[in-house]
């Protein structure tokens, strides 16, 4: 662009291209901010941020969030805090290439749920469906208001053994 701008014959087109690029960036960023967590596959909002914020507001420090779905993990992990870390269920046998990004993670991956329970007796399971974990009892449920029609929910779980 600098070379083209210095060339007087190309200066006009360079300004138009640069201005168009900047305008597209601005409108694109505004659009992403406006739609938020939109799921193009189901044509619905995920409201992951709202669920995680509700969990963090009601959970004492030290209660982690736990996710069994790799795609949901990426969404939830964006909102983690030092007081409420996010962990995911190991699924190293999967052939889903998205999982390759976190396959080697040793800090957030849970390979043994019983061992994890010895460190965290109470967790928050963030999920998109009515999910149960063996050995865990539901204590509290956080869902979205009906007007939001989201499919993400969180369950506070207490480890009771298996």
């Amino acid at each position: 662009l600098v070379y083209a701008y210095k060339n007087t014959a190309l200066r006009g087109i360079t300004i138009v291209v640069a201005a168009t690029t900047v305008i597209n960036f601005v409108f694109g960023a505004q659009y992403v901010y406006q739609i938020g967590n939109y799921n193009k596959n189901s044509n619905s909002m995920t409201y992951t941020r709202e669920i995680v914020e509700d969990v963090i507001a009601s959970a004492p420090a030290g209660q982690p969030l736990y996710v069994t779905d790799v795609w949901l993990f990426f969404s939830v992990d964006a909102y983690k805090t030092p007081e409420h870390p996010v962990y995911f269920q190991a699924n190293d046998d999967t052939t889903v290439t998205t999982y390759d990004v976190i396959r080697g993670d040793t800090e957030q991956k849970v390979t043994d749920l019983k061992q994890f329970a010895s460190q965290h007796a109470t967790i928050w399971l963030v999920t998109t469906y009515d999910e149960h974990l063996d050995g865990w009892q539901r204590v509290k449920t956080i869902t979205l208001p009906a007007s939001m029609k989201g499919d993400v929910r969180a369950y506070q779980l207490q480890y009771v053994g298996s």
Side-chain angles (χ1 to χ4, degrees):
L1 284 175
V2 173
Y3 170 76
Y5 183 77
K6 289 181 180 181
N7 184 338
T8 53
L10 298 175
R11 184 172 294 162
I13 194 146
T14 303
I15 291 172
V16 170
V17 169
T20 303
T21 302
V22 169
I23 289 169
N24 283 333
F25 281 145
V26 169
F27 281 116
Q30 188 271 338
Y31 178 72
V32 169
Y33 180 78
Q34 180 182 357
I35 66 167
N37 291 324
Y38 184 75
N39 183 336
K40 294 188 299 184
N41 295 327
S42 66
N43 292 324
S44 64
M45 300 295 285
T46 62
Y47 297 107
T48 304
R49 178 180 52 85
E50 289 81 357
I51 286 290
V52 173
E53 286 175 350
D54 286 352
V55 167
I56 290 172
S58 65
Q63 289 185 355
L65 286 77
Y66 182 74
V67 183
T68 57
D69 184 305
V70 65
W71 290 278
L72 188 58
F73 167 74
F74 289 113
S75 297
V76 173
D77 192 53
Y79 305 108
K80 69 182 173 189
T81 66
E83 296 81 20
H84 301 284
V86 177
Y87 298 93
F88 65 94
Q89 177 177 309
N91 189 8
D92 290 342
D93 295 335
T94 187
T95 59
V96 176
T97 56
T98 305
Y99 188 78
D100 290 344
V101 176
I102 57 176
R103 189 177 305 274
D105 188 333
T106 57
E107 292 182 24
Q108 293 178 276
K109 180 171 31 175
V110 176
T111 55
D112 183 349
L113 200 52
K114 284 185 181 181
Q115 181 182 1
F116 182 71
S118 69
Q119 299 166 358
H120 304 284
T122 303
I123 63 171
W124 286 86
L125 173 65
V126 181
T127 184
T128 56
Y129 53 96
D130 191 18
E131 186 173 2
H132 300 275
L133 298 178
D134 291 335
W136 297 83
Q137 178 180 349
R138 285 188 189 169
V139 176
K140 184 177 180 180
T141 301
I142 293 179
T143 57
L144 295 165
S147 62
M148 291 180 134
K149 297 181 182 174
D151 58 353
V152 177
R153 60 190 65 117
Y155 302 113
Q156 183 183 32
L157 304 178
Q158 183 78 41
Y159 186 69
V160 292
S162 55

